[in-house]
Amino acid sequence: MKIDEEPEILALLCKWCSYAGADLAGTSRFKYPPNVKVVKFPCSGRIDPVIIFKAFIEGYDGVLVSGCHPGDCHYGTGNYHARRKLGVARKLLETVGLHPDRLYTTWISASEGEKFANVCEDFTARLKDLAEQKEEKTLSREGLRE
Ligand code: FES
């Protein structure tokens, strides 16, 4: 991650709430950083931590995971499963030498387009702060790089 570049963010979103919220942000013309790429999942509970690590290996600076608010998952408990898996993923990030704040998790409903835009702005700012600390590394197939 370089200081002078916009952080590349991969957003993994549940299609029922967070993806619809991102869509609403777009149709409402809320501004958010352009380097956020969105991938739609049926439920946040289907987001495997392996996907998160592959995103870092592919060069993303941050991964945003969002699903329905607790109690609103269309499949009942998917977001509770996601919360547990993401907690483990954050610990694994530390284990491999990446800052756990490079994984951002939140809950965004279909009516929270503005929140989606704000989360993207906030996460981008956090990633830029990490880049300025010059302690952040990049994960690759060969291991960690400066
Ligand atoms: Fe949205 Fe499960 S359907 S988190």
Side-chain angles (χ1 to χ4, degrees):
M1 189 163 45
K2 295 188 178 105
I3 296 171
D4 53 343
E5 293 177 358
E6 281 295 307
E8 295 284 339
I9 296 173
L10 184 66
L12 311 175
L13 309 176
C14 119
K15 76 171 185 179
W16 294 103
C17 288
S18 302
Y19 183 82
D23 199 28
L24 181 62
T27 55
S28 303
R29 299 179 185 259
F30 291 121
K31 287 196 183 300
Y32 62 88
N35 293 351
V36 179
K37 307 230 173 26
V38 171
V39 178
K40 182 168 53 169
F41 283 79
C43 173
S44 64
R46 300 295 299 172
I47 299 169
D48 193 306
V50 170
I51 298 166
I52 295 166
F53 282 89
K54 279 192 168 181
F56 286 116
I57 288 169
E58 295 300 321
Y60 284 95
D61 301 305
V63 177
L64 165 65
V65 177
S66 183
C68 306
H69 284 272
D72 289 346
C73 174
H74 282 55
Y75 304 99
T77 57
N79 46 12
Y80 296 123
H81 293 289
R83 191 162 57 191
R84 286 190 180 177
K85 285 193 272 188
L86 294 168
V88 172
R90 287 176 68 87
K91 286 195 183 345
L92 287 173
L93 283 178
E94 280 184 285
T95 302
V96 300
L98 295 178
H99 198 290
D101 284 354
R102 291 181 62 179
L103 172 61
Y104 190 122
T105 61
T106 187
W107 312 118
I108 299 172
S109 78
S111 64
E112 293 178 317
E114 189 170 14
K115 180 177 178 181
F116 178 79
N118 290 339
V119 162
C120 291
E121 292 277 358
D122 182 42
F123 191 27
T124 298
R126 280 194 203 189
L127 291 172
K128 284 182 176 178
D129 284 348
L130 287 175
E132 284 174 12
Q133 291 170 16
K134 295 183 181 175
E135 293 173 4
E136 274 313 290
K137 298 176 174 62
T138 304
L139 193 61
S140 71
R141 291 183 199 287
E142 293 78 38
L144 286 173
R145 288 191 303 244
E146 289 294 326

